[in-house]
């Protein structure tokens, strides 16, 4: 599924054509993973909003979903049931050290699977995919809720991990070295709250906060109700770091100095607190607003929307903001960006009429039991 399209104008004949970009024109020449997921999610949103099932039932749309699913549900040499993904394959389309199993891919993957379950026809071909989706959803929900979740007690458990454990009863299943814990995470983690960390791979955990992934886990009900509430607690407790003066930090914290040179390849666009490296993206406002409404925290959304309204229009709708609190318009930010405008409009319309939430939110599936045995920071 292409990440973008280019409009080519033919002046001689006075007509235009669309050329799809499957990665061959992208920076780094990386093909997108998440665009196929968003297509399925938006197809379900359209169907839910209009009540029109004829589009999703078209043979072309059914085949499109099956092609995406056949690629993503295939077994491979990686950490099942998560989806292996290279750097640059998602909204974060440059090297940012997210290679492996980033939350930014796993969360939309989970949501797309749930949406496809609602859209696929129960015919011969569709039924086979439905069975595979159900099996993957159960495995993926347990894996993510168990191993990607971090709160104060879980952080303390990792701090005291034993290593080189070889058995089915091992606590430190991914052989994470306690010395790899970054200093900042101890100060960042509040006594009440938690979040899904950026990545879990053998011997490596990426403890960074990623906004899109943590909002989508709430909207897709990948997060349990208790985990969703804890994510909201964290946002409130760490408002200055995650929201600041312009919503919303795409990830936190920024990587800098030698680590920046190694991880990003000295990418001048991803210097600290800029672009994908801790920059603030107004488009993410709609995801935060939807998550706030779903968790019964409209006051958080109101505060973020008011911050956005104080500057975004006057600044001519830039793509992103720079600085530790999002004070400065991004050094290479394009203005009058469609997704900055659309993100604000969707947030505003959701806030004014929460009934729209059903288009982009899925209720908890009772069949996927909450098997999380981690700590419950929300009961502190």
């Amino acid at each position: 599924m292409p990440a973008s399209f280019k409009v080519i104008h033919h002046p001689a004949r006075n007509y235009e054509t669309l050329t799809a970009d499957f990665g061959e024109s992208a920076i780094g020449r990386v093909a997108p993973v998440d665009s196929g997921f968003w297509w399925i999610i938006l197809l379900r949103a359209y169907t839910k909003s209009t009540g029109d099932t004829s589009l999703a039932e078209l043979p072309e749309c059914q085949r499109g979903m099956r092609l995406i699913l056949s690629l993503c549900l295939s077994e491979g040499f990686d950490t099942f049931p998560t989806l292996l993904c290279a750097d640059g394959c998602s909204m974060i389309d440059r090297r940012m050290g997210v290679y492996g199993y980033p939350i930014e891919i796993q969360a939309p993957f989970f949501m797309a699977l749930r949406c496809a379950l609602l859209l696929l026809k129960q015919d011969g071909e569709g039924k086979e995919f439905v069975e595979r989706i159900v099996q993957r959803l159960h495995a993926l929900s347990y894996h993510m809720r168990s191993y990607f979740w971090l709160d104060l007690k879980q952080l303390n458990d990792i701090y005291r991990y034993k290593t080189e454990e070889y058995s089915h009863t091992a606590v430190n299943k991914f052989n994470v070295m306690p010395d790899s814990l970054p200093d900042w995470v101890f100060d960042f983690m509040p006594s009440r709250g938690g979040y899904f960390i950026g990545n879990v791979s053998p011997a490596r955990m990426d403890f960074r906060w990623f906004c899109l992934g943590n909002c989508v886990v709430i909207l897709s009900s990948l997060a349990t109700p208790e985990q969703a509430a804890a994510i909201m607690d964290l946002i409130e407790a760490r408002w200055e770091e995650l929201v600041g003066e312009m919503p919303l930090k795409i990830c936190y914290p920024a990587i800098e100095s030698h680590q920046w040179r190694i991880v990003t390849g000295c990418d001048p666009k991803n210097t600290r607190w800029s672009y994908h490296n801790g920059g603030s993206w107004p488009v993410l406002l709609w995801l935060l607003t939807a998550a706030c409404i779903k968790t019964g925290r409209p006051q958080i959304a109101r505060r973020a929307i008011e911050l956005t309204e104080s500057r975004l229009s006057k600044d001519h709708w830039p793509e992103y903001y720079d600085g530790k609190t999002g004070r400065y318009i991004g050094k290479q930010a394009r203005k009058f960006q469609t997704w900055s405008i659309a993100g604000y409009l969707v947030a505003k319309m959701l806030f004014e009429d929460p009934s729209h939430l059903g288009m982009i939110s899925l209720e908890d599936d009772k069949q996927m039991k909450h098997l999380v045995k981690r700590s419950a920071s929300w009961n502190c």
Side-chain angles (χ1 to χ4, degrees):
M1 191 65 70
S4 62
F5 296 87
K6 191 171 186 178
V7 180
I8 300 175
H9 182 66
H10 304 273
R13 298 185 180 180
N14 195 28
Y15 76 98
E16 296 176 336
T17 56
L18 282 177
T19 302
D21 174 22
F22 293 91
E24 66 271 21
S25 299
I27 293 172
R29 301 300 188 264
V30 181
V33 174
D34 58 349
S35 55
F37 300 151
W38 285 113
W39 180 75
I40 295 175
I41 292 166
L42 290 172
L43 183 59
R44 184 260 171 191
Y46 167 82
T47 304
K48 178 75 174 178
S49 174
T50 63
D52 173 22
T53 60
S54 62
L55 177 63
E57 290 175 353
L58 286 173
E60 295 88 347
C61 286
Q62 291 289 312
R63 182 170 179 268
M65 283 187 283
R66 291 196 301 269
L67 286 171
I68 293 168
L69 293 169
S70 64
L71 181 67
C72 298
L73 294 175
S74 59
E75 294 182 11
F77 296 97
D78 57 67
T79 306
F80 184 87
T82 45
L83 194 64
L84 181 63
C85 173
D87 250 322
C89 283
S90 61
M91 179 186 173
I92 297 175
D93 60 3
R94 289 167 176 248
R95 280 193 64 189
M96 274 289 290
V98 298
Y99 181 91
Y101 313 92
I103 186 69
E104 301 290 88
I105 290 295
Q106 312 313 318
F109 176 42
F110 180 88
M111 191 166 191
L113 289 178
R114 290 203 61 194
C115 290
L117 204 57
L118 300 170
L119 297 172
L120 281 170
K121 286 183 176 180
Q122 295 282 346
D123 53 19
E125 290 180 291
K127 191 174 181 181
E128 177 193 347
F129 279 100
V130 165
E131 292 171 357
R132 292 171 64 187
I133 289 170
V134 170
Q135 186 178 13
R136 189 66 169 263
L137 283 172
H138 280 272
L140 186 58
S141 62
Y142 177 78
H143 183 95
M144 299 297 295
R145 291 168 178 173
S146 300
Y147 305 126
F148 275 68
W149 179 251
L150 188 72
D151 57 18
L152 186 61
K153 183 177 184 304
Q154 174 64 359
L155 179 60
N156 199 76
D157 288 345
I158 297 172
Y159 179 68
R160 291 168 49 81
Y161 265 170
K162 295 178 182 178
T163 58
E164 309 300 327
E165 293 182 297
Y166 180 77
S167 71
H168 291 293
T169 58
V171 176
N172 187 1
K173 291 181 171 59
F174 295 96
N175 199 37
V176 175
M177 304 297 165
D179 287 345
S180 69
L181 284 162
D183 292 337
W184 66 265
V185 76
F186 293 98
D187 295 326
F188 179 71
M189 181 61 69
S191 57
R192 181 185 178 92
Y195 65 104
F196 285 78
I197 64 174
N199 212 325
V200 176
S201 298
R204 176 180 174 267
M205 298 178 84
D206 183 348
F207 291 93
R208 284 177 294 176
W209 154 275
F210 287 87
C211 178
L212 185 146
N214 273 277
C215 288
V216 173
V217 296
I218 293 175
L219 295 177
S220 65
S221 291
L222 173 54
T224 67
E226 295 82 6
Q227 287 172 334
I231 292 170
M232 288 294 123
D233 289 340
L234 178 91
I235 292 172
E236 285 194 295
R238 295 291 175 257
W239 184 266
E240 290 304 314
E241 293 92 335
L242 302 180
V243 182
E245 297 184 33
M246 174 54 69
L248 201 66
K249 279 275 173 273
I250 191 169
C251 73
Y252 180 90
I255 52 178
E256 47 192 319
S257 304
H258 182 63
Q259 186 188 18
W260 166 77
R261 287 190 286 272
I262 296 299
V263 171
T264 73
C266 297
D267 186 348
K269 201 166 187 177
N270 271 338
T271 53
R272 64 176 185 169
W273 308 115
S274 179
Y275 201 53
H276 295 141
N277 190 12
S280 299
W281 291 69
V283 65
L284 297 171
L285 180 66
W286 78 268
L287 283 160
L288 175 67
T289 301
C292 289
I293 294 170
K294 183 167 183 177
T295 55
R297 307 283 187 94
Q299 71 278 6
I300 301 177
R302 180 188 294 110
R303 189 177 173 190
I305 290 171
E306 288 173 353
L307 271 175
T308 304
E309 289 177 332
S310 68
R311 288 189 57 194
L312 194 58
S313 177
K314 286 187 283 188
D315 291 341
H316 305 298
W317 310 96
E319 183 180 25
Y320 65 95
Y321 285 76
D322 284 356
K324 211 165 186 178
T325 61
R327 176 175 291 182
Y328 307 101
I329 297 173
K331 58 187 174 183
Q332 294 189 43
R334 276 48 170 180
K335 294 189 175 182
F336 300 105
Q337 288 288 291
T338 303
W339 60 354
S340 295
I341 298 168
Y344 165 70
L345 289 175
V346 173
K348 190 75 170 175
M349 294 171 74
L350 280 170
F351 187 76
E352 291 177 350
D353 186 358
S355 67
H356 292 313
L357 183 66
M359 284 188 279
I360 51 173
S361 175
L362 298 168
E363 293 306 311
D364 193 16
D365 187 347
K366 303 301 181 185
Q367 292 182 348
M368 283 184 281
K369 297 178 182 178
H370 300 157
L371 299 173
V372 180
K373 298 178 182 177
R374 301 292 186 195
S375 61
S377 68
W378 44 86
N379 291 328
C380 293

